Amino acid sequence: MTLRDIVRQLGLEVVAGAGWLDRDVSGGFSGDLLSNVLAAARPGNLWITIQRHVNVVGVAQVAGLSGVLLAGGEPPAAVVLAKAEEMAIPILLSRDGAFVLAGRLHRILVPDVR
Amino acid sequence: MVAAARANGLDLIAVTDHNAAGMVEEVARAARATGLHVLPGIEVETQEEVHLLVYFDDLSSCRDFAAEVYSFLPDRANDPELFGDQVVVDADETIVHTEARLLLNALGLSLEEVVARGAGRGGLVVPAHVDRTPYGLVTQLGFGPEGLRFPLVEVDGSFRPEECGPGAVLWSSDAHVPEDIGSRVSVFRMKGPTVDEIRRAALGEGGRSIEIRRGAKRVGTAG
């Protein structure tokens, strides 16, 4: 499943990195402690977080993540968006909270689990 | 606090309460004529839940910064049952102020905004216990943000200081109770206890240095 499929199915707003939505998503990861994301997220994961610091982009890059899904609706600062474009990291935005997003993402990525 | 600091041979301490600076003046007054210098400061929690120490030369700059910090603190009441009483006491331990707003919260200011505002008031910004989980800069943000350079960072007690060169790290007790005062000590070679001298010592300028005092043993006090 690609980021584009997920954007469409979850009704997400693409705020950066619209040119890289054909990336495959290997799974999801949810967390706000960036050191934990570096240690535990797997390459290709779509990362759900409420963090808005510019290091989110660097962490996504270093961990080889497919993109970042920002929960809670608040758009990040322009510097974050510029960095994301520069590093080719798609940033997706939703008004939903991390719990709801993780549930919806899990349902479409792992459809057999009930 | 002053007695414990002196008993442990300390010449310089900083008082850095969490998002508050109400106790600095009283401790500085108690230290007067004891040979102990008290650096005014505050420990700020940024939006990213990173703890930053901000040290000042003078009480009024520290107070002004604390008022600025307070204005970005969420307006949520403290529940003393859960988080304890938030009090300012005088030398006789009489409560002179009780803070109603919950101080342990994170401010609505980013790391970069706190650094700029603290430095703008003449403060020295030192990331606190950078390697601690949670609240350390490295823990919260994975690595130091691009474009920010800190001459000095405080490291946690679990950190092995020999992994860093001298002068790059602040090895301090982060004492939350008097019994911990003096448990971790740094030696500053500098001309006086000012934030500019500390900054220059951290950068190793003109023979100045900051080094870890190894094997420091805490000395107990009677009171």
Side-chain angles (χ1 to χ4, degrees), chain A residues 34 51-60 76-84 87, chain B residues 48 112 141 143 145-146:
Chain A
L34 273 53
Q51 275 281 10
R52 296 294 192 275
H53 192 272
V54 68
N55 271 23
V56 163
V57 178
V59 166
V79 61
V80 179
L81 300 178
K83 190 80 182 172
M87 309 284 269
Chain B
E48 302 85 359
E112 282 79 358
L141 295 181
F143 44 82
E146 200 179 309

Side-chain angles (χ1 to χ4, degrees), chain B residues 16 68 88 106 126 148 156 202 205:
Chain B
T16 53
E68 191 174 348
V88 177
V126 176
L148 281 183
D156 191 24
E205 288 181 16

Side-chain angles (χ1 to χ4, degrees), chain B residues 78-86:
Chain B
N78 178 39
D79 182 343
E81 292 280 313
L82 293 174
F83 304 117
D85 292 308
Q86 304 177 149

